[in-house]
Amino acid sequence: MSPNTFDTTSESFARDVIDASKKVPVLVDFWAPWCAPCRGLKPILEKLANEYGGKFLLAKLNTDENQEIAAQYGIRGIPNVKAFVDGKVFDEFTGALPEAGVRAFLERVIPSPAAKLRAAAHDLIAAGDFEGAEAKLQEAVALDAGSVPVRLDLAHLLIARQDFEAAEQVLQPIPERERDERFEKMNTQIDAWRKARELPSVEELAARLEREPDDPKLRVALAERLIAEMHFEPALEELLGVIRATRAEQRDEARRLMVRVFNLASDQTDLVSHYRRLLAAELN
């Protein structure tokens, strides 16, 4: 038997499978001695465990002798193979698949080099090492240019340090069919940055507004600049001031910009809720 293949029991399952799967995927083969399809699948699983050389572990559990675990994981038909990743069932199949089918299953379970780099980047982000995380994600993009999650993660970091031009280049190759809500949010931030490039600096606009405090166009321009720099609360204050002070064209523009900020700052629930209420009160 390969060192990557072993028998497990109800008593050792937590150590053999749950704990081990936090380091490497663990496939659990739920089988029984009387099951003919189990006997057909077993050598395929063992062959691949040996071939993959530790990229996954194969744990075999006799359901007749370990009925408690079989019941806990809802085994109703065997053979049943469950892939555990990070202590949880990640994917599974029931029945005896041919070798090609098992290989396809393993491709979904075993992380690619790019996926491993992405996971490492997440650990670095959690530790506050954003520069290191960005480097890992750049490596991941180089390995797998078509990985949408990697591109979204990298663009998010780039936008966080306001490198909008680089973020735009990272997002651009993502196919339209895969442009989800996260993509659209970042794309909106990039659009705001692009428009703000045509405007004076925050300092210059604020100085002009001191001289011309009743100019709603200046207040909207300042808000757009603040949005591009992700200073959402002062931007909302400026826009709310426009809505309170005018009934002109800038009022509707300010409302639309406030709605945009609500989308951009959707993770700041208290801020968004507060200004949604203020906006509703002004519009009623």
Side-chain angles (χ1 to χ4, degrees):
M1 188 178 294
S2 162
N4 302 312
T5 301
F6 51 86
D7 293 313
T8 189
T9 65
S10 297
E11 291 73 24
S12 64
F13 193 88
R15 181 191 68 240
D16 293 343
V17 177
I18 304 302
D19 292 345
S21 72
K22 294 174 183 177
K23 297 180 180 179
V24 63
V26 179
L27 267 61
V28 180
D29 176 19
F30 293 87
W31 69 285
W34 48 264
C35 169
C38 296
R39 292 195 295 272
L41 180 63
K42 176 184 174 182
I44 294 174
L45 293 173
E46 291 178 344
K47 172 190 174 184
L48 293 175
N50 183 59
E51 179 184 319
Y52 275 67
K55 291 182 178 179
F56 76 92
L57 301 178
L58 174 62
K60 296 181 291 183
L61 185 130
N62 185 328
T63 56
D64 284 353
E65 297 177 354
N66 300 276
Q67 295 182 16
E68 181 182 347
I69 288 291
Q72 179 180 336
Y73 286 97
I75 304 303
R76 293 180 176 82
I78 54 174
N80 179 277
V81 174
K82 297 185 187 293
F84 286 74
V85 177
D86 290 331
K88 299 177 182 178
V89 176
F90 177 80
D91 203 349
E92 65 181 293
F93 68 85
T94 302
L97 293 181
E99 183 174 324
V102 179
R103 287 185 183 276
F105 178 77
L106 288 171
E107 286 180 6
R108 299 197 301 270
V109 170
I110 297 173
S112 67
K116 290 180 180 178
L117 285 167
R118 183 183 182 224
H122 286 187
D123 290 341
L124 290 169
I125 290 169
D129 184 359
F130 301 106
E131 186 176 339
E134 185 179 322
K136 292 290 184 186
L137 291 169
Q138 292 283 10
E139 286 184 60
V141 169
L143 283 174
D144 185 1
S147 174
V148 173
V150 169
R151 286 188 174 275
L152 291 173
D153 287 353
L154 178 56
H156 179 77
L157 285 183
L158 292 167
I159 287 173
R161 64 177 179 85
Q162 298 192 20
D163 191 346
F164 295 98
E165 189 169 2
E168 185 175 32
Q169 291 173 359
V170 168
L171 291 176
Q172 194 276 331
I174 296 177
E176 285 193 23
R177 65 182 180 278
E178 297 185 62
R179 296 183 176 186
D180 60 8
E181 183 179 341
R182 191 179 176 202
F183 173 97
E184 294 301 337
K185 181 176 178 179
M186 287 190 283
N187 198 48
T188 298
Q189 289 176 288
I190 291 168
D191 285 343
W193 160 77
R194 189 184 295 109
K195 187 171 183 180
R197 284 193 303 177
E198 303 170 2
L199 297 171
S201 68
V202 168
E203 293 75 18
E204 183 178 343
L205 286 167
R208 287 171 58 183
L209 194 57
E210 281 191 14
R211 297 192 298 271
E212 304 174 63
D214 297 326
D215 188 338
K217 290 183 179 180
L218 274 178
R219 298 193 79 172
V220 169
L222 176 57
E224 286 183 312
R225 200 40 147 144
L226 290 165
I227 292 168
E229 296 181 11
M230 292 184 283
H231 300 315
F232 296 134
E233 186 168 4
L236 289 168
E237 276 295 322
E238 293 297 338
L239 294 169
L240 195 62
V242 172
I243 290 170
R244 286 169 173 163
T246 182
R247 292 291 184 271
E249 177 184 342
Q250 280 72 37
R251 177 182 168 91
D252 192 49
E253 184 178 3
R255 180 193 61 78
R256 290 196 302 271
L257 281 172
M258 286 189 75
V259 172
R260 179 191 292 179
V261 175
F262 296 155
N263 292 330
L264 291 174
S266 57
D267 55 335
Q268 301 178 41
T269 53
D270 290 343
L271 177 72
V272 171
S273 297
H274 176 66
Y275 280 96
R276 278 191 188 278
R277 288 194 297 271
L278 293 176
L279 176 61
E282 292 300 326
L283 297 179
N284 286 339

